Amino acid sequence: MKKRKFWLPAAFILFAVILNITGRVCRPFTDFYVTYIFPVWAAAYGRVTGLFPFSVGEWMLYLAVVMVTVLVFGGIIYGIFKKRIPDKLKQIYGKYALFIYWIFGIVCVIMTLNCFLLYQSSPINERYQIGSGQKREYGISEIALVRDYVVEQANALSVTFERNEKGYLIYPASLKDEAKAQMQKLGEEFDVLSGYYPDPKGLALSGFYSQQYIMGYYFPFSMEANYNRQMYLTNIPVTMCHELSHLKGFIREDEANFIGYLACVDSTDPLFRYSAYLSVIGYLDRDFFRAVGEDSEIYLSHPVISGLVLEDRKFLTQETWEKVEEKAVLKTETVKQAADAFLDTTLTLNGVEDGRISYSRVVNLLLQYYDGILY
């Protein structure tokens, strides 16, 4: 029985390893899984965790930190005072360590099924026709057209919103239902996006995630789309749609950025459209500036991003930042550096060689999407 208890978690870990290897060497396998199996599994799992008004995944994460901490410190104490510890306590610690071992094996399988395998599927522009469907190189003229279009749309929308005395947008309506509706609507174009969506959930400890400059989080072990409640309003609609896209198997960040943009830009709600434009305007503007060789005269001959738009691109308001720093246990710089290193490592291990820079590849998808529309 003891051997069985030990080998079963090991079998889970081995199964996860085999799945990961299979996914890396056999893309048809991962494409089939992402298209036909994952959506069913995600919807069923998501309905269960969706019954809770709070983020189950967030609290599972904190519980995991506590459990691992207990395991590590318990092991240190066990190693130092082994001869003095009663046999009963030794047995309790042994059972606890075995329990953690079981959880680790199960988590390996869940993370593989809900995250790692998804990275190995075909890119969205290979699975679906984006724009005209033509495969060609895009140059400065196309980048300029898309960039100028987004800038003009954002500039025009920026002056239409009600604002308070500090210039912050006022928007009392709930955003969750519109985010889900827009994702389901986009499912008419990308069939895998159709179907059930749970409510996006605000992160309870949003201040900690703000220190990491994280707008949203997808928890693979609870199938939940989470967003930072402390963000400035303009970030929330596109972040909700971005995180919901992960629940449909689009795990790559550039693809989630693209889907979030498409879902919001097609909305009748001006805030959603504005959120879409603001989410990509920085990527487009930077790539355009690089494309013209940082020639300021050429750059300034194109539409200029208005001051109001630049102000609305903020992550947090100054007042919110002050509250975050006031309550922070660790320095924001330290937390952000650790978070960046972790994210880069995670993306690289899953085959995204350029790490966090991959977020900006949404520009390539936008150039394909507007092919046949703007040029």
Side-chain angles (χ1 to χ4, degrees), residues 131-150:
S132 66
Q134 297 182 22
K135 292 184 178 181
R136 65 186 184 91
E137 296 293 325
Y138 296 99
I140 186 172
S141 60
E142 290 85 7
I143 293 176
L145 284 168
V146 177
R147 179 262 181 199
D148 291 354
Y149 171 76
V150 169

Side-chain angles (χ1 to χ4, degrees), residues 293-318:
E294 302 185 4
D295 188 318
S296 59
E297 289 188 9
I298 296 177
Y299 178 79
L300 292 174
S301 68
H302 288 258
V304 177
I305 301 174
S306 74
L308 202 53
V309 169
L310 290 174
E311 185 65 21
D312 284 338
R313 289 189 64 237
K314 66 171 67 75
F315 174 46
L316 302 182
T317 65
Q318 183 59 39

